[in-house]
Amino acid sequence: MTERPDLSSLPSYRQPRRSLLVARKLALMASVVAGLGVAVYGFSPSTSPSDLFSSPAHAQVNTEVRKVERPIGFADIVERVKPSVISVKVNIKEKAASNDDGDDSPFQPGSPMERFFRRFGGQDGIPGMRGPRGGGRAVTGQGSGFFISADGFAVTNNHVVDGADKVEVTTDDGKTYSAKVIGTDQRTDLALIKVEGGSNFSFAKLSDGKPRIGDWVLAVGNPFGLGGTVTAGIVSASGRDIGNGPYDDFIQIDAPVNKGNSGGPAFNTDGEVMGVNTAIYSPSGGSVGIAFSIPAATVKSVVAQLKDKGSVSRGWIGVQIQPVTSDIADSLGMKKAEGALVAEPQANGPAAKAGIESGDVITSVNGESVKDARELARTIGGMAPGATVKLNVLHKGQDKVVNLTLGQLPNTVEAKADTDNDNSKAPTRGTDVPKLGMTVAPANSVAGAGKDGVVVTEVDPKSAAAESGFKEGDVILEVAGKSVSTAGDVRDAINAARTDNKNSVLMRVKSGGQSRFVAVPLAKG
């Protein structure tokens, strides 16, 4: 029997314990790798440690991870909704000379904000691409729109088709059709057109829900005349007022929109139209990430009337209103700055006939609270003429209920200005109103000021009156709810307000034919 040699004396000899440790490490590594892969691919006991690292399972696991991390796109939604979007091309004669730059600002010409807010229907949809100039010569304009029914009814902006002699639309598949304008609504900047020559158009659904801030939004349209283009962003704000009118309630989005996008839809991730793109905020005319869309709820209401009768009828109560600021609320003894303050009821209007007076605050309509003046305008404007409404009104510190029948909002409501406003005769010096920084004189002593109230003849530019917006020529009709005709009346009313520990005093002021309430802070002492 051969004797076993002593291996410990050999240079290559290693202790069995170390070999055991190496084996345990390999087993541990194998178990970790197996743990990573067994959930998907399983682990075979016959697999050797070296097989684990050469196996394709490790690479396949990484592939699966990459699939999970990949951002989710909008291709499926776009493929479904894009065929409903159209390019709208118009031929306009009247605007060749008057709308040379293609921008239709919601602000008055010369307004400091005019250059920042732009609508983007645009002649040819591309700056510099204009038709021949001169009266009677035609120019073209381009915008966007979308079908709302298979038989060819489509929505776009009023300012896209306003004054158009000819309207053509191009569908997503490149086909061109003639269209006619069914009706327009300037106040909401919406228009309904009817495409002729088809009866099976792809159409979009107007959303029933209200978008939330942060929701995804897809804008589809015809920017710069390039054809169907899709951009994405989020809803960045809601209830925006851009000074376009009393019915402003825009959705603000940051999806890039530009000239030619006007009238195009803003889709949510359900493929429904949440709004109609109508304006952008831009110093340059291009997208800076702030755009405004008309909410789907407004579109539904307006389009239904346009389709039915070609125009929109709105309820009207006949009042000039303004917001209730915190200073005004304090002057009226209100706990919260909410509701709509009646600056002046219009003569023979529904409100005047029902007994509503200047200085009243309308706090609710049919039991629904009124947040501010804009909300009142939208609520009443959304009702049909002839409807009976119940208004809760704060009248001289007391709550009362007024029932009235809505009239129909006139197509043009013009402010009545004094016709005898003659500034050829310089106003008298007037009498100082202490601690307000202005002088006043009886209105009947100043040419063109009328018979009622006191006229402001001078304003200290560093005074409380100047900070509150008073200027020379304004007529103060009431102070703290009391009619005034002399400087003494003004001083008495102010002293009474101080005695009542008021922080400000409410004045009804007539300026440029318009009445408004101004809360003037009272200096202490």
Side-chain angles (χ1 to χ4, degrees), residues 454-457 469-476 509-512 516:
V454 295
V455 62
V456 177
T457 59
F470 280 95
K471 62 183 183 296
E472 187 176 318
D474 287 349
V475 178
I476 301 173
V509 182
K510 186 177 182 181
S511 180
R516 72 183 193 279

Side-chain angles (χ1 to χ4, degrees), residues 100-138:
D100 188 54
D101 65 355
D103 289 330
D104 183 13
S105 168
F107 294 93
Q108 294 296 322
S111 165
M113 296 300 292
E114 179 188 14
R115 73 186 183 94
F116 291 107
F117 280 92
R118 301 172 187 267
R119 288 205 174 107
F120 35 99
Q123 295 169 358
D124 285 335
I126 308 174
M129 298 287 289
R130 317 199 194 287
R133 298 182 181 183
R137 295 184 179 183

Side-chain angles (χ1 to χ4, degrees), residues 319-325 327-329 331-332 334 337-345 356-363 370-374 376 393-396 478 506-508 515-519:
V319 290
Q320 182 182 328
I321 55 177
Q322 68 181 83
V324 178
T325 65
D327 287 337
I328 290 175
S331 300
L332 295 173
M334 299 174 62
E338 57 186 11
L341 176 63
V342 178
E344 187 174 5
I356 292 178
E357 302 176 2
S358 296
D360 287 351
V361 178
I362 299 174
T363 57
V370 172
K371 180 181 178 181
D372 52 32
R374 288 196 303 122
L376 176 65
V393 177
L394 181 64
H395 175 75
K396 295 182 179 179
E478 296 178 2
L506 197 63
M507 299 184 181
R508 186 160 73 95
S515 293
R516 72 183 193 279
F517 281 90
V518 179

Side-chain angles (χ1 to χ4, degrees), residues 13-29 49:
Y13 177 77
R14 293 181 181 178
Q15 294 292 334
R17 185 176 181 181
R18 182 175 180 85
S19 300
L20 179 60
L21 180 60
V22 171
R24 287 179 178 176
K25 285 185 177 180
L26 289 175
L28 179 59
M29 293 173 66

Side-chain angles (χ1 to χ4, degrees), residues 43-223:
F43 174 67
S44 172
S46 62
T47 304
S48 67
S50 60
D51 289 339
L52 286 172
F53 295 101
S54 61
S55 170
H58 187 265
Q60 290 172 356
V61 170
N62 285 342
T63 300
E64 291 299 317
V65 172
R66 284 197 297 270
K67 287 181 180 179
V68 172
E69 292 176 347
R70 185 178 301 162
I72 299 174
F74 302 107
D76 290 340
I77 301 172
V78 172
E79 185 178 2
R80 180 158 51 94
V81 303
K82 195 166 177 281
S84 67
V85 183
I86 57 177
S87 171
V88 181
K89 184 176 182 180
V90 299
N91 183 289
I92 307 172
K93 291 181 179 179
E94 261 71 30
K95 290 191 174 182
S98 62
N99 192 21
D100 188 54
D101 65 355
D103 289 330
D104 183 13
S105 168
F107 294 93
Q108 294 296 322
S111 165
M113 296 300 292
E114 179 188 14
R115 73 186 183 94
F116 291 107
F117 280 92
R118 301 172 187 267
R119 288 205 174 107
F120 35 99
Q123 295 169 358
D124 285 335
I126 308 174
M129 298 287 289
R130 317 199 194 287
R133 298 182 181 183
R137 295 184 179 183
V139 295
T140 58
Q142 287 191 350
S144 304
F146 60 97
F147 287 115
I148 58 170
S149 63
D151 56 355
F153 281 99
V155 173
T156 186
N157 279 145
N158 169 68
H159 75 265
V160 170
V161 299
D162 185 28
D165 302 295
K166 182 181 179 181
V167 180
E168 288 184 346
V169 306
T170 302
T171 55
D172 188 54
D173 58 5
K175 295 180 180 178
T176 300
Y177 301 86
S178 295
K180 62 180 179 179
V181 179
I182 301 299
T184 62
D185 181 47
Q186 184 178 5
R187 287 185 172 94
T188 57
D189 195 27
L190 288 169
L192 181 67
I193 62 177
K194 177 68 166 62
V195 175
E196 302 169 342
S199 59
N200 192 29
F201 295 106
S202 297
F203 63 94
K205 179 182 182 298
L206 291 166
S207 175
D208 294 322
K210 185 177 181 180
R212 298 180 304 164
I213 297 173
D215 280 350
W216 282 108
V217 57
L218 302 176
V220 186
N222 182 36

Side-chain angles (χ1 to χ4, degrees), residues 495-509:
N495 289 334
R498 282 202 180 97
T499 302
D500 292 338
N501 293 319
K502 295 289 187 181
N503 295 318
S504 58
V505 62
L506 197 63
M507 299 184 181
R508 186 160 73 95
V509 182

